[in-house]
Amino acid sequence: MQHASPRCEHNQAGLTTNRKLVLDALLQADRAVSAYDVLQLLRGQEVHWQPPTVYRALAFLVEAGMVHYIQSIQKYMVCHHQHCAHVTQLLICHRCGLVQEVPIPESLVDALEQQAATHQFKMIPQFLELQGICAACDESAAN
């Protein structure tokens, strides 16, 4: 969780105890998880919250750029980049649910920004969600 506190200071907001607990639960998860999965992880640590508490903490972490909300699968994952002011892609395995965050080549980002500019449109930092099959699932299906 070392990358979290500097980001919160940069955003001029603090990581409360609740937010730290949620961030720790996300860091311990081996894949993207739902808010209810976070609740279950916390219950395993004897933390018994109602869903709104988790949703408020998740909303803060997403807004702070520390966590991604993956809309297509309605799950959350920690952003492991120091600064989330970038365009990236999330590769989502349709079979096992593995999510990998990988950078988009700068040349492609430049081309997208130029195309948007021709329509008087400015892109904001974001990520593209791409569905597919990971190598491990593809290999197991072939066997």
Side-chain angles (χ1 to χ4, degrees), residues 1 18 26-27 33 64-65 67 83 85 88 93 106 113 120 122 142:
M1 189 168 58
N18 288 1
L26 289 169
L27 285 166
V33 294
V67 169
H83 303 287
T88 190
C93 180
E106 201 63 37
E113 287 175 339
Q120 291 78 45
K122 184 177 178 183

Side-chain angles (χ1 to χ4, degrees), residues 29-127:
D30 61 346
R31 60 189 63 240
V33 294
S34 71
Y36 284 91
D37 293 333
V38 172
L39 269 174
Q40 287 303 106
L41 291 168
L42 292 172
R43 285 188 179 130
Q45 299 172 18
E46 299 301 318
V47 177
H48 299 285
W49 291 345
Q50 295 300 312
T53 305
V54 172
Y55 279 112
R56 281 191 297 272
L58 288 168
F60 171 86
L61 295 169
V62 168
E63 181 67 27
M66 298 162 58
V67 169
H68 293 303
Y69 175 64
I70 309 165
Q71 193 164 12
S72 64
I73 59 174
Q74 299 181 343
K75 294 189 178 184
Y76 298 85
M77 68 176 278
V78 172
C79 176
H80 292 285
H81 295 95
Q82 191 63 17
H83 303 287
C84 231
H86 59 281
V87 179
T88 190
Q89 55 188 330
L90 299 177
L91 306 177
I92 305 163
C93 180
H94 186 66
R95 290 193 183 141
C96 72
L98 175 70
V99 179
Q100 299 174 63
E101 182 177 5
V102 296
I104 294 176
E106 201 63 37
S107 59
L108 179 56
V109 174
D110 290 342
L112 291 169
E113 287 175 339
Q114 287 174 9
Q115 183 180 32
T118 65
H119 297 281
Q120 291 78 45
F121 188 82
K122 184 177 178 183
M123 290 179 23
I124 58 174
Q126 60 189 298
F127 53 90

